[in-house]
Amino acid sequence: RIEKPVREIFEAQVANLQRRTQKRFESALLRRLGKNPEGTENFYNSNADALRNVALAFEVAMDNLEVPSLSLTKAIPVQEMTGKLNSALVGFPDTPAARMRQLSEVKAAASREKQPTQRSIDFGLDFVGMIRPDGYGSLQGFAGYQLGGNQIIVGVCNDADSPEVISQFGGVRPPFIRVQPKLKLDVEL
């Protein structure tokens, strides 16, 4: 009569210990994820000792749960747990937690500012030109070209006869060509 409740309690304790062990193993893998060298084979080899440690801790904990008089031994649960841990290790790189951790590491690496290797001062010259032929604004366009730190931008707008443009220039027609040079200075310390 007492055997059935003892078996049920033993099975519940084993299931609880398996869940805790599984969680402990997955958190250990997650902590070690960024510290492993790249490559699948290296991941499995470097985490083999974590698998052995968790399996040994499970086996030691199972020693306290055994009831040999009712044939409730640790052999089968330890074997099942080792299989579950191996499956968890094989499937771990594809788990959502591992992917989130890898994504956060990629984001952190991408957001880090690269330190300049040497100090430098760079000069650049930009020319912005506007050509305004006769017309009322029916033709407009821009073109640009960049060479190193220098840039040229040319715009065309045939609005020289437009009353709005003439009023902006105080009653006179705008100049046919207008050029604005810009000097850029880039200092890295």
Side-chain angles (χ1 to χ4, degrees), residues 95-128:
T95 61
R99 288 181 186 235
M100 289 297 293
R101 179 72 177 262
Q102 290 169 344
L103 183 62
S104 66
E105 288 174 3
V106 168
K107 281 183 181 178
S111 66
R112 268 188 234 127
E113 287 188 26
K114 184 179 176 187
Q115 297 296 325
T117 54
Q118 62 186 16
R119 296 178 180 174
S120 67
I121 298 175
D122 294 324
F123 293 96
L125 185 62
D126 288 0
F127 282 107
V128 179

Side-chain angles (χ1 to χ4, degrees), residues 34-159:
K35 299 174 185 154
N36 293 328
E38 294 298 319
T40 306
E41 191 66 33
N42 290 331
F43 174 77
Y44 297 130
N45 291 337
S46 64
N47 288 306
D49 61 334
L51 180 109
R52 283 190 298 272
N53 290 339
V54 170
L56 182 64
F58 179 79
E59 189 172 348
V60 168
M62 281 299 299
D63 286 337
N64 296 330
L65 299 179
E66 279 187 312
V67 183
S69 61
L70 297 177
S71 299
L72 301 174
T73 60
K74 65 180 181 179
I76 293 174
V78 167
Q79 189 176 15
E80 289 174 355
M81 192 67 220
T82 303
K84 287 181 182 179
L85 291 176
N86 280 325
S87 297
L89 179 62
V90 169
F92 182 75
D94 296 327
T95 61
R99 288 181 186 235
M100 289 297 293
R101 179 72 177 262
Q102 290 169 344
L103 183 62
S104 66
E105 288 174 3
V106 168
K107 281 183 181 178
S111 66
R112 268 188 234 127
E113 287 188 26
K114 184 179 176 187
Q115 297 296 325
T117 54
Q118 62 186 16
R119 296 178 180 174
S120 67
I121 298 175
D122 294 324
F123 293 96
L125 185 62
D126 288 0
F127 282 107
V128 179
M130 188 69 177
I131 302 171
R132 297 181 112 161
D134 294 339
Y136 292 99
S138 60
L139 173 68
Q140 297 178 3
F142 290 91
Y145 182 75
Q146 185 170 3
L147 180 65
N150 304 319
Q151 188 173 15
I152 296 174
I153 300 174
V154 178
V156 175
C157 184
N158 69 339
D159 61 354

